[in-house]
Amino acid sequence: MLHDISVSNHETSDLGSSIVMKETWDTRIQRAERLAIERRDSAELLSFYAALLGAQKQVYEQLRALKSWLPSGSLERDLPVLRTMLPGLLEIVEANAPAALASEARSLLSESQSEIDGMLIEYWQAPSDVQFFAKAFLQPYASWLYESGAKPDRNLVEVENRCPFCGGKPQVSVLQIKDASSDSGGRDLVCSTCLMSWPFRRVICASCGEENPDKIGYYHAPDYDYIRVEACDACRHYIKTVDLTRFGFAIPLVDEVAAASLDLWAREHGYTKIEMNLLGI
Ligand SMILES: [Zn+2]
Ligand SMILES: [Zn+2]
């Protein structure tokens, strides 16, 4: 079913469908709802993701609506305001998530303030893709930091394959048509924490920086011809790339979740994802 489509710089693109949609919480939610109908094999996953995105949107809008308060970028300082928004997200997760996650949400709802603060600060300073609640809750906060111009206070290393704004790992890679002078050849990485994107050279491993094209393989599944796995044989890590020049209506963050069959393939072939998505895939 899956096949190696060659390892080279040559990539086909259909310039005719290069419509790049402006991504907002609403476009993400709509895309997840639509894919939940179209992709029956991932329907449950996508319906939950749509609900989760709705919960994240609620956090984001509550933050934006505060007229006399802007975040400082120091999570510790912002927590007194931010933490009041967590129960709303937990309730939505409890009502929509698979049983195990729903029960975790329920127990967090009765957790002490210091436990909750500790969990959020730990993620902020030492992020891990298995910390579902902190990651889900802090994505809208970090997005709002970016938009409101606050500098995130995180002690994370500044390297090329980390978000230049907040230091987060890349969640998904995106190909799109940009002006010809762009150094990255039209490739961006999307941050797993603040969800902004930054340009990143095209043929290079987003984990270890391997540049030898013979070490980087591209794999497609026929049912998602605009999404591919980019797997590195030097460090055995992979990331998925959503090609907006082939399908301009994709919302990378969401379509990446839908194409879970590609992750299954990558895992079976011994590759580890650079950053699991919120659905644990
Ligand atoms: Zn970021
Ligand atoms: Zn690598």
Side-chain angles (χ1 to χ4, degrees):
M1 234 175 76
L2 288 139
H3 55 284
D4 188 342
I5 59 148
S6 87
V7 183
S8 75
N9 296 348
H10 171 77
E11 290 154 294
T12 51
S13 52
D14 171 14
L15 300 176
S17 64
S18 61
I19 306 150
V20 178
M21 283 181 68
K22 163 112 179 66
E23 208 175 304
T24 63
W25 292 102
D26 282 326
T27 62
R28 291 173 190 140
I29 295 165
Q30 285 156 15
R31 184 73 187 139
E33 285 170 347
R34 183 174 182 131
L35 280 167
I37 296 165
E38 285 176 3
R39 303 283 178 170
R40 300 185 67 161
D41 51 336
S42 320
E44 234 169 281
L45 199 70
L46 290 159
S47 299
F48 169 56
Y49 193 31
L52 178 61
L53 286 163
Q56 293 183 295
K57 179 191 168 189
Q58 191 175 290
V59 173
Y60 173 81
E61 303 227 304
Q62 281 175 285
L63 285 168
R64 272 190 76 110
L66 295 170
K67 294 281 177 250
S68 56
W69 184 87
L70 278 175
S72 69
S74 156
L75 182 61
E76 266 137 315
R77 230 184 308 155
D78 294 340
L79 268 174
V81 172
L82 189 62
R83 74 162 82 85
T84 60
M85 298 164 191
L86 181 64
L89 180 134
L90 293 175
E91 281 159 16
I92 293 175
V93 173
E94 190 193 1
N96 293 279
L101 200 58
S103 115
E104 258 187 82
R106 200 169 313 125
S107 48
L108 280 175
L109 277 163
S110 52
E111 201 60 86
S112 71
Q113 184 178 301
S114 64
E115 287 284 336
I116 296 281
D117 289 0
M119 171 188 84
L120 296 173
I121 289 164
E122 187 193 325
Y123 176 83
W124 194 242
Q125 296 305 348
S128 149
D129 55 8
V130 297
Q131 291 169 274
F132 168 82
F133 290 99
K135 181 175 171 179
F137 183 60
L138 292 175
Q139 278 181 347
Y141 166 71
S143 300
W144 180 231
L145 288 186
Y146 181 70
E147 287 170 35
S148 62
K151 179 91 191 99
D153 180 9
R154 295 175 101 184
N155 299 317
L156 301 179
V157 284
E158 283 183 35
V159 284
E160 197 191 8
N161 62 355
R162 294 286 185 274
C163 171
F165 176 67
C166 80
K169 282 189 183 182
Q171 184 70 75
V172 58
S173 150
V174 181
L175 297 178
Q176 55 191 313
I177 295 164
K178 291 190 178 174
D179 63 87
S181 61
S182 140
D183 298 342
S184 68
R187 184 202 205 191
D188 289 320
L189 298 178
V190 177
C191 176
S192 56
T193 306
C194 71
L195 309 179
M196 69 156 272
S197 57
W198 73 98
F200 194 75
R201 280 174 293 148
R202 202 149 172 149
V203 187
I204 176 174
C205 169
S207 179
C208 74
E210 178 61 56
E211 292 178 83
N212 178 355
D214 295 339
K215 292 271 175 73
I216 300 169
Y218 303 110
Y219 304 93
H220 277 275
D223 48 342
Y224 286 100
D225 63 352
Y226 61 99
I227 304 181
R228 67 188 187 190
V229 164
E230 294 189 17
C232 172
D233 282 323
C235 69
R236 309 292 296 168
H237 280 82
Y238 78 95
I239 191 164
K240 281 191 289 183
T241 295
V242 176
D243 188 346
L244 293 176
T245 70
R246 285 181 174 224
F247 185 58
F249 292 108
I251 298 288
L253 203 63
V254 180
D255 286 65
E256 195 275 335
V257 166
S261 55
L262 281 167
D263 296 273
L264 194 64
W265 177 90
R267 269 205 307 275
E268 280 170 358
H269 287 76
Y271 296 108
T272 304
K273 201 172 193 179
I274 294 176
E275 170 85 14
M276 281 194 295
N277 60 41
L278 275 178
L279 287 305
I281 295 164

